């Protein structure tokens, strides 16, 4: 137990907790209104009253970063939920039943994987319309193939275990086997996949918003802020750096967390 | 003897393997069971012996219908279980159970012992809360454990204790027949003896019939009333433990039994040359002829048939079906 408290895992926990705290505080308090413009103080450098400076409309960057954390967590959680839900249904049926069910589902997943994820998301959003809801759906669908493969492989792995066979020999049905015997054991790899997919979702959202397809103005989103900061990269470098660092912290935090959970799992007998 | 309890009639189990390359003209077939027939009688311990890959575990799982046979019939007290509907199969599963080799893999690591013992009763909706609890207590005592184990998880138990739990979880349904698939092979010799004694005790108490699958001849000789020896999916010799143990007929059986070390007698060992042939491409004729010290020309082309030497003793070998003058020494 002592050894498994690795340093990356601790860094991940700290980063994620920091960002989560920031998000929770933003529900009750932000130093300025996130969308409150003040043309008198455009592109101000970090100062005591604006710790992260202001943007090209004179909005407080700290407040917008805090508000943007809400968007990031919302998109991360709900798209992972969507991906997990469909990934579970597809992966569990493919892994448990095997045969032609497996064949059909996995060829469908392969077809999905043939598209680069972000391209698929762009396509979906262009067909519908840009916005928070469609971004979540697009990123959720993007993560379905990954979840399906991981869930399928753990189902295939545990299906051959003797305790599953013994339970079949005692007359247990498919649902009982899946719920009582496979799922509790497959929980950890699925959790790791979900954590890693969470950071992928945030990165995806940033990318889409950067392209102008994700969250629409004036609502703050990290990717969108990065896009807005781009023209001022020379005159106001802190804007782009701060937003970039925040996105990196989030993605790194969840990646380290996921790796940490996986390492903990490996050391367990 | 009375009517057989379980009867296998010419059972085949073939596994199709995918073509290894596009140049293979047809997918290869592994015949894990190639026309296996034998009978089990009520209350006996029947040993199934063979090398790894000989199809003995497959046989056990096909009898329990955990694997579907390719062809053949299996009669359980006169009814053909291969034709059972899903519903019939489920209620039949109460009567037949299996105990696996690896006690570390045969218990769900996330569940307590009590849950594991409770599950079979829940599946078959047997009894109410109180009677289930009573049954679990009775069973856990039967296998030589006490109630303090009920709240524990499998990883807190030793190999022998786990195997006792695995036996207990097979026993809670009051089965008539248990397949013990290498049930003691993974245990220490001292623990093996304890488990074997436990199985004997339980057999007497509940009138159980065992199919004991093992590669360990010592254990089988100690435990079983009758033995069948399998080689490449076929039974080559079948008879009572005394008969086979003292005077094995088939050259393969002879070689196997000569390999058991004895303290008192200075027996000559018959070494077995080579390895088990590729089961997807078995030898023609007698499957054993490639390694047989007494192989004749006919063994390479003609498949031997089952020859009943006397009631309850059969050998599948040309040495005993042909005229004595054709024998080579």
């Amino acid at each position: 137990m002592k050894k498994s408290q690795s340093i990356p895992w601790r860094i991940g926990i700290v980063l994620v907790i920091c960002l989560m705290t920031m998000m929770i505080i933003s529900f009750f308090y932000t130093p300025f209104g996130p969308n409150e413009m003040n043309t008198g103080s455009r592109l101000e450098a970090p100062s005591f009253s604006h710790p992260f400076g202001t943007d090209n409309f004179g909005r407080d960057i700290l407040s917008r970063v805090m508000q943007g954390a809400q968007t990031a967590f919302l998109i991360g959680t709900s798209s992972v939920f969507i991906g997990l839900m469909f990934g579970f249904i597809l992966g569990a049926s493919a892994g448990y039943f095997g045969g032609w069910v497996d064949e059909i589902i996995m060829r469908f997943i392969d077809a999905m994987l043939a598209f680069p994820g972000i391209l698929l998301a762009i396509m979906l959003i262009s067909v519908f319309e840009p916005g928070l809801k469609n971004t979540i759906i697009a990123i959720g669908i993007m993560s379905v193939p990954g979840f399906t493969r991981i869930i399928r492989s753990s189902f295939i792995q545990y299906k051959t275990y003797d305790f599953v066979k013994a339970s079949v020999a005692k007359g247990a049905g498919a649902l009982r086997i899946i719920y009582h015997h496979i799922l509790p054991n497959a929980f950890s790899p699925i959790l790791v996949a979900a954590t890693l997919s969470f950071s992928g979702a945030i990165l995806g959202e940033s990318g889409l918003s950067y392209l102008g397809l994700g969250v629409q103005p004036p609502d703050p989103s990290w990717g969108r802020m990065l896009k807005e900061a781009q023209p001022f990269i020379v005159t106001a470098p802190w804007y782009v750096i701060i937003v970039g660092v925040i996105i990196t912290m989030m993605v790194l935090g969840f990646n380290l967390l996921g790796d940490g959970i996986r390492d903990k799992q490996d050391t367990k007998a | 003897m009375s009517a057989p309890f379980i009867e296998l009639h010419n059972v085949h189990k073939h596994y199709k393997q995918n073509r290894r390359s596009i140049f293979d003209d047809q997918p290869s077939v592994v015949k894990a069971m190639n026309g296996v027939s034998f009978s089990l009688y009520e209350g006996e311990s029947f040993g199934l012996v063979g090398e790894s890959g000989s199809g003995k575990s497959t046989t056990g799982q096909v009898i329990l219908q955990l694997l579907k046979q390719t062809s053949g019939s299996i009669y359980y007290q006169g009814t053909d279980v291969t034709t059972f509907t899903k519903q019939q199969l489920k209620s039949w599963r109460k009567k037949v159970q299996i105990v696996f080799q690896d006690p570390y893999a045969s218990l769900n690591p996330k569940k307590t012992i009590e849950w594991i013992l409770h599950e079979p009763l829940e599946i078959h909706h047997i009894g109410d809360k109180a009677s289930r609890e009573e049954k679990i207590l009775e069973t856990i005592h039967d296998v030589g454990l006490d109630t303090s184990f009920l709240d524990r998880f499998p990883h807190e138990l030793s190999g022998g204790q786990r195997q006792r739990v695995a036996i207990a979880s097979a026993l809670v349904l009051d089965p008539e027949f248990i397949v013990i698939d290498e049930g003691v092979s993974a245990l220490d010799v001292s623990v093996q003896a304890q488990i074997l004694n436990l199985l004997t005790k339980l057999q007497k108490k509940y009138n159980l019939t065992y199919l004991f699958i093992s590669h360990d001849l010592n254990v089988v000789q100690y435990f079983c009333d009758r033995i069948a020896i399998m080689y490449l999916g076929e039974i080559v010799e079948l008879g009572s433990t005394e008969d086979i143990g003292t005077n094995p007929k088939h050259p393969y059986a002879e070689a196997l039994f000569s390999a058991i070390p004895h303290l008192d007698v200075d027996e000559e060992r018959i070494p077995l040359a080579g390895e088990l042939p590729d089961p997807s491409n078995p030898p023609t004729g007698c499957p054993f002829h490639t390694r047989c010290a007494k192989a004749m020309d006919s063994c390479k082309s003609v498949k031997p048939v089952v020859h009943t030497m006397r009631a309850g003793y059969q050998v599948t070998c040309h040495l005993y079906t042909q005229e004595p003058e054709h024998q080579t020494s």
Side-chain angles (χ1 to χ4, degrees):
Chain A
M1 274 319 263
K2 264 276 184 278
K3 196 175 161 282
S4 62
Q5 299 287 341
S6 62
I7 291 167
W9 153 263
R10 285 183 190 177
I11 297 174
I13 283 275
V14 169
L15 284 176
V16 169
I17 286 176
C18 280
L19 290 162
M20 265 182 128
T21 318
M22 197 170 84
M23 177 204 65
I24 291 164
I25 292 173
S26 74
F27 279 109
F28 310 105
Y29 168 78
T30 47
F32 293 85
N35 295 333
E36 191 183 292
M37 299 190 201
N38 183 356
T39 40
S41 55
R42 295 174 67 231
L43 294 170
E44 273 181 24
S47 64
F48 190 70
S49 60
H50 297 288
F52 286 180
T54 59
D55 71 1
N56 51 330
F57 295 112
R59 297 176 292 196
D60 179 42
I61 293 176
L62 174 62
S63 307
R64 287 178 70 74
V65 164
M66 286 171 75
Q67 186 80 19
Q70 287 181 21
T71 320
F73 274 99
L74 176 69
I75 288 177
T77 322
S78 27
S79 61
V80 164
F81 181 76
I82 291 174
L84 205 51
M85 199 169 67
F86 288 101
F88 180 76
I89 295 169
L90 293 174
S93 352
Y96 188 81
F97 296 107
W100 61 268
V101 180
D102 184 30
E103 206 62 33
I104 288 172
I105 291 175
M106 288 326 283
R107 292 303 79 80
F108 172 68
I109 293 296
D110 284 347
M112 276 180 86
L113 277 173
F115 288 94
I118 200 84
L119 209 64
L120 194 70
I122 290 173
M123 194 183 79
L124 284 167
I125 290 173
S126 333
V127 172
F128 301 101
E129 58 182 35
L132 187 64
K133 200 177 77 190
N134 287 334
T135 309
I136 291 174
I137 294 173
I139 294 175
I141 291 174
M142 215 169 95
S143 62
V144 168
F147 280 122
T148 306
R149 294 186 140 228
I150 284 172
I151 291 167
R152 170 179 175 266
S153 66
S154 34
F155 266 69
I156 288 176
Q157 180 196 345
Y158 284 106
K159 197 176 70 171
T160 60
Y161 266 58
D162 282 350
F163 63 80
V164 172
K165 277 198 221 153
S167 195
V168 173
K170 290 181 176 72
L175 285 178
R176 161 171 285 274
I177 303 251
I178 290 174
Y179 183 72
H180 283 297
H181 292 285
I182 300 181
L183 214 47
N185 289 295
F187 182 73
S188 314
I190 295 174
L191 186 68
V192 172
T195 319
L196 295 177
S197 159
F198 194 100
S199 62
I202 287 166
L203 216 52
E205 183 269 335
S206 301
L208 286 175
S209 297
Y210 178 80
L211 295 173
L213 295 169
V215 180
Q216 294 304 298
D219 292 331
S221 128
W222 295 345
R224 176 133 216 117
M225 289 167 77
L226 211 56
K227 175 196 167 81
E228 285 165 1
Q230 203 183 6
F232 313 106
I233 194 160
V234 179
T235 48
W238 59 87
Y239 189 5
V240 71
I241 290 170
I242 284 166
V243 176
V245 165
I246 290 286
I247 295 174
T248 313
M249 275 171 67
M250 186 79 154
V251 172
L252 192 67
F254 272 96
N255 275 336
L256 291 176
L257 201 64
D259 285 348
I261 298 172
R262 179 163 40 204
D263 291 347
K264 269 176 158 3
Q265 212 45 42
D266 284 346
T267 50
K268 216 176 194 173
Chain B
M1 271 194 248
S2 54
F5 187 63
I6 293 177
E7 194 178 355
L8 276 75
H9 193 76
N10 197 19
V11 180
H12 288 259
K13 171 73 190 174
H14 297 179
Y15 291 102
K16 278 200 186 71
Q17 284 189 323
N18 289 330
R19 274 177 251 192
R20 287 189 198 115
S21 80
I22 51 168
F23 302 110
D24 289 353
D25 40 352
Q26 54 189 22
S28 61
V29 174
V30 174
K31 294 176 178 170
M33 288 173 80
N34 195 10
V36 173
S37 307
F38 62 89
S39 303
L40 271 80
Y41 296 92
E42 198 175 348
E44 76 169 341
S45 304
F46 186 88
L48 201 53
V49 198
E51 283 172 86
S52 3
S54 59
K56 47 194 201 306
S57 286
T58 305
T59 307
Q61 294 191 22
V62 166
I63 294 176
L64 296 188
Q65 292 290 291
L66 293 175
L67 297 171
K68 205 79 189 144
Q69 72 292 333
T70 312
S71 68
S73 342
I74 298 156
Y75 296 95
Y76 184 86
Q77 295 182 315
T79 27
D80 188 352
V81 300
T82 58
T83 60
F84 273 179
T85 61
K86 232 178 158 184
Q87 213 52 43
Q88 283 174 306
L89 205 58
K90 189 181 168 181
S91 66
W92 176 64
R93 292 214 184 286
K94 272 186 279 193
K95 301 182 198 162
V96 292
Q97 288 298 321
I98 184 162
V99 173
F100 287 101
Q101 168 175 20
D102 184 0
Y104 290 86
S106 58
L107 302 175
N108 186 339
K110 304 278 175 184
K111 302 288 182 184
T112 62
I113 306 306
E114 182 167 20
W115 191 94
I116 291 167
L117 296 184
H118 190 265
E119 188 192 22
L121 300 171
E122 206 179 290
I123 292 171
H124 292 285
H125 311 290
I126 297 169
D128 53 14
K129 202 165 176 265
S131 71
R132 283 181 188 177
E133 209 157 293
E134 201 179 309
K135 181 75 203 167
I136 290 173
L137 289 182
E138 189 197 331
T139 316
I140 198 100
H141 285 126
D142 269 342
V143 298
L145 300 174
D146 59 60
T147 49
S148 69
F149 284 93
L150 290 177
D151 304 328
R152 297 198 203 171
F153 285 92
H155 68 259
E156 299 173 65
L157 271 57
S158 70
Q161 289 167 339
R162 281 159 174 253
Q163 203 60 317
R164 284 170 193 265
V165 172
I167 294 167
S169 80
L171 275 181
V172 282
L173 288 172
D174 293 321
E176 300 164 345
F177 172 62
I178 302 183
V179 174
I180 298 158
D181 188 351
E182 299 275 16
V184 297
S185 309
L187 304 171
D188 289 346
V189 177
S190 59
V191 183
Q192 272 188 6
Q194 291 170 15
I195 298 288
L196 290 174
N197 290 337
L198 172 70
L199 288 171
T200 315
K201 196 186 90 188
L202 293 170
Q203 183 172 41
K204 280 188 193 122
K205 185 166 173 188
Y206 294 104
N207 189 30
L208 297 167
T209 308
Y210 290 134
L211 175 67
F212 194 87
I213 297 167
S214 182
H215 61 261
D216 188 334
L217 283 171
N218 273 323
V219 169
V220 171
Q221 267 189 300
Y222 171 77
F223 187 75
C224 297
D225 307 314
R226 290 193 304 142
I227 300 178
I229 295 167
M230 275 188 93
Y231 187 81
L232 278 182
E234 292 174 30
I235 288 182
V236 296
E237 183 156 354
L238 188 154
S240 71
T241 307
E242 295 99 84
D243 287 349
I244 293 190
T246 50
N247 187 14
K249 296 282 187 293
H250 193 282
Y252 180 58
E254 245 180 311
L256 283 185
F257 279 93
S258 78
I260 302 177
H262 289 282
L263 273 181
D264 39 356
V265 260
D266 210 17
E267 260 181 290
E268 198 192 335
R269 279 192 58 181
I270 306 167
L272 260 187
E275 285 176 24
L276 199 67
D278 178 8
S280 64
N281 184 20
T284 53
C286 173
F288 185 61
H289 84 254
T290 51
R291 299 165 75 185
C292 185
K294 297 176 182 172
M296 305 171 287
D297 285 342
S298 59
C299 296
K300 287 172 189 152
S301 49
V302 186
K303 206 172 166 65
V305 291
V306 177
H307 172 63
T308 308
M309 312 249 323
R310 56 178 177 278
Y313 198 102
Q314 58 192 46
V315 180
T316 312
C317 181
H318 285 309
L319 286 176
Y320 303 97
T321 47
Q322 291 183 343
E323 295 306 310
E325 60 262 34
H326 289 290
Q327 284 187 22
T328 51
S329 55

